[in-house]
């Protein structure tokens, strides 16, 4: 049975870009293979991308090859190398799952195709007006150069069978770790999850949070991060293995939680605990908590390099990802569990009903449970944080 109904086609007609122009894009895209460079570290995401490729090939004649990355910078470096070699067309990268510093780097260097988002018929279902989350990426205006596809929120996962009262905020982690030495850790900050842990603490501890939304100067960085490093110096001795060794990534940390070596882990996916329980990767007692003041949230985007060989096909994929029925499938905990980027007020009754009918689970929070969404600091803060952490704590 088709999982995408004709409803999605009908809903693109009102308020959409000129359909004749979009038809020209569809015609040019037919027969193309889109090389989608995307992080390959999550089996459910990989399966979803595979499903998207099956659907776009069936409907539009656009195939997808998932180029699995361990770091988005791999794709960015490839595009930079191609420009240096004079390959300004026929590039090997058609679509990139991109965020933050990598988007900023490509935008500043003129490495992006577009603006194209305003030409996508399904963009009508997204709030793209600043300061909406889909209009900014780590405070950098998107300006139609990348298209949203999934919502992310930083959360902590814990085993409720072993933890009665998790830390209420980032400052409280110091006392909690002192009372439970070795029972919490974080991925290495060279991984985005570890860097996000530091950013969450920085936002809560910085003397002036508003400064974090601007590029980090030397003076601002020193002043705003001083409380962070004092906090981390107090926390580190009571981390897993004395803060001398860190899990490589989220998956390794989740395994530590499942094995009972630690009691608290972290994720950028509020559905991660429920999904892991369903897969037998976490105990049934795993649950999610967030600090009282909220957590960092952002939107995952896809961008098209300036020299993409299959830019039309990439636009078809980006548009398909915004189809309300695709977004509902993506949010289904039995499929992926990633929250939708669509504005519910822009959906019709049938689409809203599709979201309302999605299954739930004891470990799956709703948006109200997650509290306020905190904006990401400017991308320059993440770069400096990870460099300074390495300087201070690695030998």
């Amino acid at each position: 049975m088709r999982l995408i109904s004709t409803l999605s086609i009908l809903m693109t007609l009102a308020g959409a870009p000129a359909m004749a122009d979009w038809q020209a894009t569809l015609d040019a895209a037919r027969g193309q293979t889109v090389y989608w460079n995307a992080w390959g570290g999550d089996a459910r995401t990989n399966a979803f991308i595979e499903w998207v490729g099956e659907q776009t090939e069936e409907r539009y004649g656009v195939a997808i090859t998932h180029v699995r990355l361990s770091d988005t910078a791999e794709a960015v470096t490839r595009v930079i190398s191609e420009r240096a070699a004079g390959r300004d067309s026929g590039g090997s990268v058609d679509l990139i799952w991109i965020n933050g510093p990598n988007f900023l780097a490509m935008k500043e260097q003129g490495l992006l195709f577009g603006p194209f988002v305003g030409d996508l018929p399904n963009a009508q279902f997204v709030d793209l007006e600043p300061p909406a989350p889909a209009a900014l990426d780590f405070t950098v205006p998107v300006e139609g150069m990348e298209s949203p596809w999934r919502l992310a929120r930083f959360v902590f996962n814990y085993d409720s069978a072993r933890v009665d009262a998790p830390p209420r905020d980032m400052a409280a982690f110091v006392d909690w770790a002192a009372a439970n030495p070795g029972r919490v850790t974080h991925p290495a900050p060279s991984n985005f999850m570890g860097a996000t842990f530091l950013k969450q603490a920085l936002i809560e501890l910085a003397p002036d949070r508003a400064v974090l939304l601007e590029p980090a100067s030397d003076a601002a960085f020193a002043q705003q991060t001083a409380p962070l490093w004092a906090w981390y110096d107090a926390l580190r001795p009571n981390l897993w293995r004395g803060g001398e060794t860190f899990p490589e990534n989220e998956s390794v940390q989740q395994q530590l939680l499942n094995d009972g070596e630690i009691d608290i882990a972290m994720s950028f996916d509020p559905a991660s605990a429920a999904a892991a329980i369903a897969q037998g990767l976490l105990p049934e007692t795993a649950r999610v908590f967030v600090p009282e003041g909220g957590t960092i949230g952002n939107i995952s985007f896809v961008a098209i390099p300036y020299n993409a060989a299959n830019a039309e096909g990439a636009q078809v994929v980006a548009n398909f990802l915004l189809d309300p029925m695709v977004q509902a499938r993506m949010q289904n905990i039995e499929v992926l569990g990633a929250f939708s980027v669509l504005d519910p007020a822009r959906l019709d009754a049938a689409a809203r009903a599709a979201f309302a009918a999605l299954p739930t689970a004891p470990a799956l929070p709703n948006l109200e449970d997650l509290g306020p969404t905190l904006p990401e600091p400017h991308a320059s803060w993440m770069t400096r944080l990870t460099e300074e952490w390495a300087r201070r704590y690695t030998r």
Side-chain angles (χ1 to χ4, degrees):
M1 182 180 74
R2 280 182 181 244
L3 293 165
I4 309 300
S5 72
T6 55
L7 169 68
S8 60
I9 298 174
L10 295 174
M11 287 194 296
T12 63
L13 297 179
M19 294 308 293
D21 294 341
W22 182 247
Q23 187 59 51
T25 299
L26 291 174
D27 292 343
R30 185 164 293 276
Q32 292 184 349
T33 296
V34 173
Y35 287 84
W36 184 358
N37 287 240
W39 179 61
D42 177 64
R44 285 160 62 91
T45 300
N46 296 342
F48 181 74
I49 291 175
E50 181 180 357
W51 176 84
V52 169
E54 294 169 354
Q55 298 298 313
T56 56
E57 185 163 22
E58 177 185 346
R59 287 164 172 70
Y60 310 111
V62 176
I64 293 175
T65 294
H66 181 188
V67 181
R68 300 186 182 186
L69 306 176
S70 58
D71 190 321
T72 304
E74 298 169 22
V76 178
T77 299
R78 197 173 306 128
V79 176
I80 293 173
S81 298
E82 289 178 351
R83 185 172 68 175
R87 190 176 176 181
D88 292 327
S89 62
S92 63
V93 180
D94 296 313
L95 194 66
I96 306 176
W97 176 3
I98 195 168
N99 283 88
N102 288 301
F103 170 69
L104 176 62
M106 293 193 76
K107 187 181 182 187
E108 288 182 336
Q109 296 179 62
L111 297 175
L112 295 172
F113 170 88
F116 71 93
V117 178
D119 296 328
L120 305 180
N122 287 332
Q124 65 179 299
F125 304 119
V126 186
D127 184 356
L128 297 173
E129 293 298 320
L136 301 171
D137 191 350
F138 285 56
T139 76
V140 177
V142 170
E143 298 177 328
M145 305 301 284
E146 58 179 356
S147 180
W149 76 288
R150 59 189 286 184
L151 182 66
R153 282 290 301 274
F154 184 60
V155 299
F156 291 96
N157 298 334
Y158 73 107
D159 189 342
S160 63
R162 299 195 296 265
V163 178
D164 292 326
R168 67 185 184 279
D169 54 27
M170 296 304 290
F173 266 87
V174 171
D175 289 340
W176 190 92
N180 302 274
R183 304 304 297 174
V184 65
T185 186
H186 61 81
S190 57
N191 177 270
F192 78 96
M193 191 62 62
T196 302
F197 177 71
L198 294 180
K199 287 188 292 182
Q200 177 70 31
L202 174 65
I203 288 173
E204 292 193 29
L205 300 170
D208 186 354
R209 186 180 298 184
V211 175
L212 307 181
L213 302 180
E214 302 295 331
S217 67
D218 290 345
F221 184 81
Q223 180 182 36
Q224 299 302 319
T225 61
L228 169 71
W229 303 126
W231 168 83
Y232 193 83
D233 285 343
L235 174 67
R236 186 187 178 204
N238 293 310
L239 293 176
W240 176 71
R241 295 188 175 177
E244 297 292 338
T245 303
F246 299 89
E248 180 182 357
N249 52 40
E250 176 186 353
S251 297
V252 175
Q253 187 184 39
Q254 179 178 275
Q255 185 63 52
L256 293 175
L257 179 61
N258 189 55
D259 292 344
E261 287 199 48
I262 60 174
D263 296 329
I264 297 176
M266 59 202 69
S267 173
F268 226 132
D269 178 4
S272 58
I277 290 170
Q279 295 174 282
L281 299 176
L282 280 179
E284 294 283 345
T285 49
R287 293 294 183 269
V288 172
F289 79 92
V290 294
E292 291 177 352
T295 59
I296 290 173
N298 65 36
I299 283 180
S300 290
F301 294 89
V302 289
I304 305 171
Y306 83 105
N307 65 341
N310 302 290
E312 298 87 0
Q315 291 173 78
V316 170
V317 173
N319 185 65
F320 184 76
L321 290 170
L322 292 176
D323 184 295
M325 295 305 171
V326 175
Q327 288 279 306
R329 177 182 173 85
M330 181 185 69
Q331 190 167 307
N332 188 333
I333 186 61
E334 297 173 355
V335 177
L336 185 55
F339 284 98
S340 171
V341 298
L342 305 186
D343 180 357
R346 297 172 184 240
L347 303 180
D348 74 356
R352 290 196 297 271
F355 281 95
L358 294 175
T360 187
L364 180 65
N366 56 44
L367 284 175
E368 290 74 23
D369 297 329
L370 299 178
T373 300
L374 306 180
E376 288 272 8
H378 186 273
S380 57
W381 288 88
M382 177 173 166
T383 302
R384 284 180 174 247
L385 273 179
T386 55
E387 291 174 349
E388 180 64 11
W389 183 90
R391 187 188 71 81
R392 287 171 176 262
Y393 302 111
T394 61
R395 297 175 176 81

